Amino acid sequence: MRTSRPLLPGLIEACHAVIVSNADHLGELDRAIGDGDHGTNMKRGSEAVYAERDQLGGLPLPEALEKIGMVLVTTIGGAAGPLYGTLLIEMGRGLRAAGSGDGVLAETLPPAVAAVARRGRAQAGDKTLLDVLYAVQQAVLKQSPPAEVAAYAMSAATDTIAMKALRGRASFLGDRSIGHMDPGACSCALLTGSICRFLEEFPSA
Amino acid sequence: MNTNGANVGIVIVSHSPLIARGTADMVRQMVGDSVPLAWCGGNAEGGLGTNARDILTAITSAWSEAGVAVFVDLGGAETNSEMAIEMLEPARARRVLICNAPIVEGAVMAAAEASGGAALARVVATAEELSP
Ligand SMILES: [Mg+2]
C-alpha cells in the first residue's frame, strides 16, 4: 500500500455503496433476532465516513483509519459502533507503530481483531461479526487473493445461521436464534466483499 | 467519605430516552441537586439506541472530582459507555465506573449513597449489591 490518497476514498465509496444498498436487508436480519437497528445504524455510520472521504484520503493511512474508527464509534452506536470502531482504531494504531512496508497492514489485523473480541467479550462461535473477522484474518495471513478472502468471509457469515447466539440481544432468544444469519456477521462479510472487489480492480494498490 | 467535598456524579444511559430521563427524575426526587446527574439515550433519528459521544457528553456534564458512576440498560449501552470512558483523559477515565446493577434501582440507591458523601467505590458497591 503505497499511498492512501487515491485508494482510501475509493474504498470508502465502495463500503458506503454496499451498506446503503443492503441496509434494508441488514435491518431485516436484525429484526429477526435482535432490535432491528443494524441497517439504519450501519447506514448512518457509512454516510458519516462517506461525507469526509476526501479529507480522510488526504491523511496518512494510520491517522485516517483511526479517524474513521472514531467516526464509526460515534455515529453507528449500538454494539456495532464500538466493535467496528475498535477494529479500525486498533489497525491505525498498529500501522503507526509498525511503520510502512508491504504486508504491514495485514499484520495489524490479528491484534485489532483480538481487541474487538475483548471489546465485545465474544469469541469464535458466539454468532457475532467476530466469526467473519477471524475467517478474514486467517485468509489474509495466508495471503489468499482478494476474491478468496471475500468468499471465506461470506461462508463464515453463512456459518452463523446454524449457530446459537451467545452475545448481544440475540442471545436472549436462546435456541430461537438458530436458523438466522447474524446481522453483524452479514455486514462484515458484505464490507469485506466490497473491499476485496475494489482491491482486485486496483491491483497496484 | 470523599475528601474534596464533591459528591460522586451519576450518569444514566438507556437505549430509551424516556427511561433515561424518567430514571433521572426518580434520582432527582430522591436527592435533589446534591448529586451531579446526567442522562442520555436514543439515536440521531429519535429512535432507540446509545452512542459513545452522547455518553461522553453526559459524563462530562455530571463530572465530579469524586468520580462518576454510570448506569446502563442493555449490551450496547455498556459497550458504548466503555468507549466513552476511554475517550476521557486517563486521569478522569480512572474515576468513572460502570455499575453492574439494575438501572432504576441502582441509580436511585447509588445517588442516595452519593448524596451522603460516600466515595465512588462505596457508591458502586451499594448499587451492585442489588445484582445477584
Ligand atoms: Mg441491533
Side-chain angles (χ1 to χ4, degrees):
Chain A
M1 209 159 281
R2 314 265 179 293
T3 167
S4 62
R5 189 171 284 280
L7 180 68
L8 199 60
L11 278 172
I12 290 170
E13 279 163 28
C15 289
H16 174 255
V18 77
I19 290 301
V20 167
S21 59
N22 287 278
D24 289 346
H25 177 58
L26 294 172
E28 275 162 36
L29 290 176
D30 198 22
R31 261 188 297 283
I33 58 169
D35 51 6
D37 61 0
H38 193 57
T40 49
N41 285 351
M42 291 300 289
K43 194 168 162 213
R44 189 187 314 112
S46 67
E47 276 167 356
V49 175
Y50 183 78
E52 291 184 37
R53 65 193 183 284
D54 291 329
Q55 186 214 335
L56 288 162
L59 296 174
L61 194 54
E63 280 76 10
L65 291 176
E66 276 191 73
K67 181 91 196 296
I68 294 170
M70 283 308 298
V71 171
L72 293 178
V73 167
T74 53
T75 56
I76 296 179
L83 298 179
Y84 279 115
T86 296
L87 180 73
L88 287 160
I89 291 167
E90 292 300 324
M91 285 180 75
R93 285 179 187 160
L95 200 58
R96 175 172 319 118
S100 58
D102 285 345
V104 167
L105 194 60
E107 284 163 24
T108 65
L109 206 47
V113 172
V116 175
R118 283 194 302 277
R119 173 78 62 203
R121 297 190 195 86
Q123 49 189 336
D126 282 358
K127 193 179 180 108
T128 70
L129 57 81
L130 262 182
D131 290 312
V132 173
L133 287 179
Y134 283 130
V136 170
Q137 170 184 313
Q138 206 177 3
V140 166
L141 291 182
K142 277 199 311 192
Q143 300 186 344
S144 306
E148 231 168 81
V149 176
Y152 277 119
M154 196 37 86
S155 137
T158 305
D159 287 346
T160 67
I161 295 174
M163 293 175 185
K164 175 174 158 177
L166 296 176
R167 291 294 304 160
R169 276 311 158 94
S171 66
F172 299 172
L173 297 180
D175 286 340
R176 282 183 290 143
S177 66
I178 297 170
H180 302 273
M181 186 184 289
D182 177 68
C186 184
S187 63
C188 193
L190 288 169
L191 287 165
T192 304
S194 186
I195 289 167
C196 290
R197 268 191 306 282
F198 183 85
L199 292 179
E200 259 189 337
E201 289 163 22
F202 289 86
S204 64
Chain B
M1 295 283 280
N2 62 73
T3 49
N4 55 27
N7 289 334
V8 168
I10 303 287
V11 165
I12 295 150
V13 182
S14 172
H15 285 69
S16 158
L18 295 175
I19 287 177
R21 203 183 83 183
T23 305
D25 287 345
M26 291 176 71
V27 168
R28 276 274 174 259
Q29 188 186 39
M30 184 83 185
V31 300
D33 292 329
S34 64
V35 171
L37 173 68
W39 60 270
C40 63
N43 67 21
E45 294 86 25
L48 303 171
T50 60
N51 81 78
R53 186 174 42 201
D54 290 350
I55 299 169
L56 180 64
T57 305
I59 292 172
T60 305
S61 87
W63 181 253
S64 158
E65 291 305 311
V68 172
V70 181
F71 292 84
V72 298
D73 56 4
L74 297 169
E78 184 179 16
T79 316
N80 279 300
S81 295
E82 288 173 3
M83 292 288 324
I85 291 168
E86 287 172 29
M87 290 179 200
L88 290 164
E89 54 186 280
R92 281 195 165 195
R94 282 193 289 277
R95 282 181 280 167
V96 184
L97 295 176
I98 301 170
C99 287
N100 176 24
I103 189 164
V104 177
E105 294 90 330
V108 171
M109 282 195 67
E113 193 72 28
S115 69
L120 179 62
R122 180 73 224 135
V123 168
V124 170
T126 301
E128 291 191 343
E129 278 168 20
L130 292 162
S131 287

